[in-house]
Amino acid sequence: MGSAPVGRITRGTTGTNRLRRIDRWIARHPALRGAGPEPLVVDLGYGASGVTALELEARLHATRPDVEVLALEIDPERVRTAREQLENVRGGNTPFRPTARVRFERGGFEVPAPRRPTVIRALNVLRQYDEADVPDAWARMTARLAPGGILVEGTCNEVGRVATWVEVGADAAPRTLTVSLRLADLELPSIAAERLPKALIHRNVAGERIHDFLRALDREWERASALSAFGPAQRWRAAMAAMTDAGWPLRQRSRWRLGEASVPWDRVAPR
Ligand SMILES: C[S@@+](CC[C@H](N)C(=O)[O-])C[C@H]1O[C@@H](n2cnc3c(N)ncnc32)[C@H](O)[C@@H]1O
């Protein structure tokens, strides 16, 4: 066998439905929708259970029935657990399709895959590393991507209602930050500060761009409070329109209704 996987075993916390916001975003992404036949999607660091990898396949299958998911985990014990789960899936004893195109293997940031992945999803993995580890991890993972492929690296809370992620291109350059929030009962968008990707989580301080971005989100969300009567999605849309008017070049306008905001990386990058 080859050399040891790159990285280290960390806490395996995961949960059903936790990554739904990220999966739905990936399912609509042009990198996946425009990919050639049989696109490979890697789920790196799936944790103590294989459930979020199975959910990823199920969600992507709806838009790309030919998608294949390779789920990688650095902890061999967790690979064994997930393979047992997969046996149950194959036996038709779970809500997942018995034919789900998912495999569970051991691997790390070197991404041992039989062909180049179109997407790598690494959620809640780098969180337990140091900020200084991020560039190398991004470089290793993106070096494996298919041309036009993307790395989706981010963090969310336990139940997936507060999520943020970075889209990184095959050249290892970060492109956008997306914040995705459950709007019902949302007090302030800056709740996302606690769940920023590792590259930004220590940067939410005065003088940093991410700090300005989160403050601007809070300000416009509060100013749009009169629209609450029409529902939180209307209020979010109004707040995002005001962000745009104030000069924030937000992307993916059609996704505002979902409580999302995507901003070019250079507007939030650490100084
Ligand atoms: C907190 S869990 C996240 C599980 C799942 N992705 C989620 O968001 O619910 C992080 C997992 O990543 C694994 N991990 C950490 N570094 C890794 C690496 N370099 N390669 C593969 N897995 C890694 C850990 O062993 C752990 O099981």
Side-chain angles (χ1 to χ4, degrees):
M1 293 298 287
S3 43
V6 179
R8 60 170 194 271
I9 298 173
T10 56
R11 264 195 325 273
T13 319
T14 189
T16 301
N17 244 347
R18 184 188 200 195
L19 302 183
R20 62 193 178 281
R21 288 179 173 272
I22 298 92
D23 294 351
R24 287 176 192 146
W25 186 86
I26 294 172
R28 305 293 304 173
H29 199 288
L32 180 71
R33 302 189 70 175
E38 315 255 313
L40 179 65
V41 174
V42 165
D43 184 22
L44 189 129
Y46 55 82
S49 146
V51 69
T52 62
L54 289 158
E55 289 174 342
L56 175 65
E57 195 273 349
R59 292 190 181 111
L60 301 189
H61 181 83
T63 43
R64 281 299 303 240
D66 57 344
V67 81
E68 198 180 320
V69 171
L70 170 62
L72 296 175
E73 179 43 71
I74 201 162
D75 180 348
E77 196 50 50
R78 293 176 187 155
V79 178
R80 268 192 286 281
T81 304
R83 284 179 175 167
E84 281 167 24
Q85 284 179 291
L86 189 59
E87 282 302 299
N88 272 330
V89 170
R90 299 278 180 253
N93 305 317
T94 76
F96 297 105
R97 294 182 344 277
T99 55
R101 299 181 73 185
V102 179
R103 282 187 306 128
F104 292 97
E105 303 285 348
R106 183 154 188 244
F109 294 138
E110 78 288 359
V111 191
R115 58 187 196 280
R116 292 187 171 272
T118 296
V119 179
I120 301 175
R121 183 189 75 173
L123 258 287
N124 300 300
V125 175
L126 283 178
R127 181 159 198 214
Q128 297 171 67
Y129 285 75
D130 293 331
E131 187 183 347
D133 297 328
V134 173
D136 182 63
W138 281 3
R140 284 179 188 273
M141 290 189 277
T142 56
R144 295 289 301 137
L145 286 170
I150 56 166
L151 163 68
V152 183
E153 190 271 301
T155 307
C156 68
N157 71 352
E158 286 74 11
V159 290
R161 291 179 177 176
V162 177
T164 72
W165 58 88
V166 186
E167 172 186 328
V168 188
D171 56 358
R175 292 174 179 160
T176 55
L177 171 77
T178 297
V179 171
S180 180
L181 301 167
R182 182 175 188 263
L183 297 177
D185 312 321
L186 178 68
E187 281 185 21
L188 285 174
S190 59
I191 182 93
E194 298 160 17
R195 305 286 167 169
L196 286 170
K198 192 71 195 191
L200 294 176
I201 195 155
H202 306 299
R203 304 298 181 135
N204 186 32
V205 291
E208 289 283 354
R209 297 182 182 96
I210 184 65
H211 185 69
D212 295 343
F213 179 62
L214 293 177
R215 278 174 53 123
L217 282 178
D218 281 356
R219 194 166 49 240
E220 299 305 348
W221 176 247
E222 288 198 302
R223 283 187 359 173
S225 65
L227 284 154
S228 300
F230 302 100
Q234 278 295 85
R235 179 178 172 185
W236 184 259
R237 274 203 196 108
M240 295 310 106
M243 290 281 290
T244 307
D245 291 346
W248 289 96
L250 299 185
R251 305 272 172 85
Q252 300 188 310
R253 197 184 175 101
S254 63
R255 300 188 64 82
W256 288 356
R257 65 194 162 80
L258 303 170
E260 280 182 18
S262 291
V263 66
W265 180 255
D266 63 1
R267 298 303 298 264
V268 291
R271 288 192 191 276

